[in-house]
Amino acid sequence: MSEALLNCGPIEYDDTGGDLPVVVFIGGLFIGTSLWDGVVADLRADLRCIVPRLPWGAHRHPMRRDADLSISGQTRVLADFIDHLSLNDITLVESDTAMAQLLVTFRPQRLGRVVFCSSETADNYPPGLPGQAAALIAKLPGGVNIAMQQMRFRAFRHSPIGFGRMAKRPIPEDVVKDWLAPVLTQRAIRRDATKYLRSVRSSRSALKEATERLHTFDRPTLVVWATEDRVMPLDQGKKLAESLRSSRFVEIADSYTLIALDQPRLLAGEIRRFIS
């Protein structure tokens, strides 16, 4: 794994390399880079796949204490990362979070196209039961630590307020434990996650503003949504697609929010067709 030293702190990333069209993959809260392993394995022969470990709680190196980790701040981290690697005309693929919606409205210069996969929207933020529970818990002193320590127990990890509604099939135990290890063992990582979770009001306002400007982004977009999603409702995906000027909407069956885990080959196929 390589590392980019940004103003906010160090950002680790996987990079398949090669002189190929570039795809950058990003995920959400407490979700590690292995989310994309199946998709990257399918695409790496044709595309340069880059997966940064952004500061969403599954990162292994804490950010600077003064780093802005609201959704606006997280989006700036992503934009700075893309700038740091001097990437141009990239395809950005996002799952779960809403960073791409902010990026296309305030720093779209390096973007060639965007894929939104079952993501947060202004009308669903924080998203579903897991997101609302996390935001509520974070308001309590030490709340994130107390909640995360419960994730040591398998039943809690796979409950509706854990990862139970994120993937249709149980996420392998070794994968979940790897995702959660940093936030379970490092106080500074919990501090980073808490900063984001306590920024709900400002983040919701930023996302609403970005939503109102989505129509200004004129590059190709693909909106991929899980038909059975229980956290990101299907109607929100259709509404997102309608807000974009040049978009195509695709449903993927037999999947929940984390399509990259439930249906990696189908998602990879849609991304390949979209880029080609």
Side-chain angles (χ1 to χ4, degrees):
M1 183 166 276
S2 303
E3 184 176 282
L5 186 58
L6 308 182
N7 289 334
C8 63
I11 300 295
E12 295 182 304
Y13 63 98
D14 290 317
D15 185 351
T16 60
D19 186 19
L20 299 165
V22 176
V23 185
V24 175
F25 297 88
I26 55 175
L29 191 65
F30 305 126
I31 295 174
T33 56
S34 61
L35 166 69
W36 300 106
D37 283 357
V39 176
V40 169
D42 198 304
L43 296 176
R44 62 182 302 158
D46 309 309
L47 301 163
R48 178 185 174 189
C49 300
I50 300 174
V51 189
R53 194 184 292 268
L54 297 175
W56 287 91
H59 58 300
R60 299 184 293 192
H61 301 296
M63 299 296 99
R64 290 176 45 165
R65 295 188 68 90
D66 62 349
D68 177 5
L69 298 180
S70 66
I71 197 167
S72 296
Q74 295 274 7
T75 304
R76 280 190 288 273
V77 172
L78 172 61
D80 290 347
F81 172 77
I82 294 170
D83 288 347
H84 180 85
L85 295 187
S86 299
L87 304 174
N88 288 300
D89 194 32
I90 72 166
T91 298
L92 178 65
V93 182
E94 174 183 64
S95 172
D96 191 16
T97 77
M99 283 184 292
Q101 294 171 58
L102 273 69
L103 192 63
V104 303
T105 61
F106 93 96
R107 272 173 74 174
Q109 293 83 355
R110 295 185 183 270
L111 300 177
R113 57 197 64 79
V114 179
V115 181
F116 302 90
C117 301
S118 283
S119 305
E120 299 167 334
T121 60
D123 293 333
N124 184 38
Y125 185 87
L129 182 59
Q132 293 167 17
L136 181 62
I137 289 168
K139 293 180 180 180
L140 305 174
V144 170
N145 182 37
I146 294 170
M148 287 299 102
Q149 296 309 321
Q150 305 310 305
M151 296 289 272
R152 294 181 182 276
F153 301 102
R154 187 180 187 281
F156 197 90
R157 288 195 296 272
H158 295 284
S159 72
I161 60 174
F163 291 108
R165 292 187 177 180
M166 298 298 291
K168 188 170 183 180
R169 285 156 281 280
I171 304 171
E173 287 298 296
D174 60 332
V175 171
V176 178
K177 289 178 180 179
D178 178 67
W179 292 358
L180 295 174
V183 76
L184 285 173
T185 59
Q186 297 186 57
R187 179 180 294 178
I189 300 297
R190 292 194 292 273
R191 178 200 68 207
D192 288 348
T194 300
K195 286 173 72 173
Y196 167 69
L197 287 167
R198 287 182 176 175
S199 71
V200 167
R201 181 174 296 179
S202 64
S203 293
R204 183 186 289 118
S205 177
L207 180 53
K208 182 178 179 181
E209 181 181 353
T211 299
E212 293 171 350
R213 298 171 57 193
L214 284 176
H215 68 278
T216 64
F217 186 69
D218 60 358
R219 274 149 264 181
T221 57
L222 175 66
V223 180
V224 183
W225 227 261
T227 304
E228 301 176 55
D229 204 322
R230 303 174 68 187
V231 177
M232 315 292 184
L234 185 62
D235 67 317
Q236 291 298 308
K238 294 177 179 178
K239 186 175 180 179
L240 175 61
E242 291 169 357
S243 301
L244 295 154
R245 289 172 61 180
S246 180
S247 70
R248 183 164 64 90
F249 182 78
V250 174
E251 290 185 35
I252 291 188
D254 196 25
S255 178
Y256 288 171
T257 303
L258 300 181
I259 302 170
L261 282 184
D262 282 332
Q263 297 290 352
R265 293 189 65 182
L266 288 178
L267 179 56
E270 293 293 346
I271 293 170
R272 180 180 284 108
R273 282 188 288 274
F274 175 58
I275 294 174
S276 63

